[in-house]
Amino acid sequence: MALNEMSFALGPKNILEELVKRYSDREFLLYSSIVRSQDCLLVDISGKESVFETGLNYRVVNAIGPTDWDGLLELRYMTLDTDQQKVFNAVMASWDDPKARPLGLKSAKVLLSLKKSYQFLLLNVWEDEQDYLAWNHAADNKLAQFGHDGNKAPIDKLYTRVR
């Protein structure tokens, strides 16, 4: 079954683990920030209506590669106008070919905010941090041109899987 929607919650591990217990009928993934291990991310991949009050709800518009949740999780937030969306979509379409994907990229999902049609979240799963860093700093990284909310750079968050 294809995953059509995803929801996210941020917070301390103990609070997010309580949500996992309270909604045991859901399929959750728990991640810890690589910058601050006490900052955690709970991902609802059940496809059901969100139980989170965070407003971080997205529609999956593209899935690249086989779904794989194990590895370094990168959340890349971008604000894209109509012209930028065309370039972004072309880059994502090129990633359908495994040979055109960045080295070490296991899977990717392009998500669109349910609140704002110009807010995108690229969810990438990398083999490891070195692969992510090599791609992120590469001169041919075509996604580096896209910023978020008026900033020249995207907001990029990195997580490792807890459960």
Side-chain angles (χ1 to χ4, degrees):
M1 182 172 86
L3 182 61
N4 297 317
E5 289 190 13
M6 297 176 69
S7 301
F8 301 86
L10 301 164
K13 184 178 178 184
N14 62 331
I15 300 294
L16 297 179
E17 286 178 331
E18 283 300 316
L19 285 171
V20 171
K21 288 178 192 171
R22 184 179 313 150
Y23 299 101
S24 60
D25 64 324
R26 300 288 178 127
E27 189 173 356
F28 289 117
L29 303 168
L30 183 61
Y31 291 88
S32 175
S33 169
I34 67 165
V35 175
R36 291 176 38 123
S37 61
Q38 67 271 26
D39 293 345
C40 291
L41 170 74
L42 188 61
V43 183
D44 184 348
I45 58 169
S46 69
K48 299 177 182 178
E49 185 175 336
S50 180
V51 295
F52 304 146
E53 295 181 20
T54 60
L56 299 173
N57 306 312
Y58 295 86
R59 180 172 50 93
V60 179
V61 295
N62 193 5
I64 298 157
T67 297
D68 187 336
W69 299 108
D70 293 319
L72 179 73
L73 179 74
E74 173 199 7
L75 298 181
R76 180 174 287 255
Y77 298 89
M78 298 167 288
T79 305
L80 305 174
D81 65 27
T82 305
D83 291 333
Q84 290 171 323
Q85 288 179 36
K86 291 174 186 172
V87 175
F88 175 75
N89 289 334
V91 172
M92 293 297 96
S94 75
W95 286 10
D96 282 337
D97 177 359
K99 294 175 187 159
R101 287 183 207 142
L103 183 65
L105 180 67
K106 296 169 77 173
S107 68
K109 294 195 182 321
V110 177
L111 309 176
L112 180 61
S113 172
L114 294 180
K115 287 182 172 181
K116 299 176 181 175
S117 63
Y118 50 86
Q119 296 282 341
F120 287 80
L121 174 58
L122 180 60
L123 186 151
N124 290 327
V125 179
W126 296 90
E127 288 286 344
D128 55 43
E129 189 174 357
Q130 288 73 27
D131 289 331
Y132 158 77
L133 289 171
W135 170 76
N136 194 46
H137 297 300
D140 64 346
N141 176 353
K142 294 180 178 138
L143 299 185
Q145 66 183 303
F146 303 123
H148 178 69
D149 268 353
N151 297 311
K152 289 185 179 185
I155 294 177
D156 213 11
K157 304 286 184 177
L158 301 173
Y159 298 89
T160 57
R161 181 107 179 254
V162 174
R163 67 177 297 279

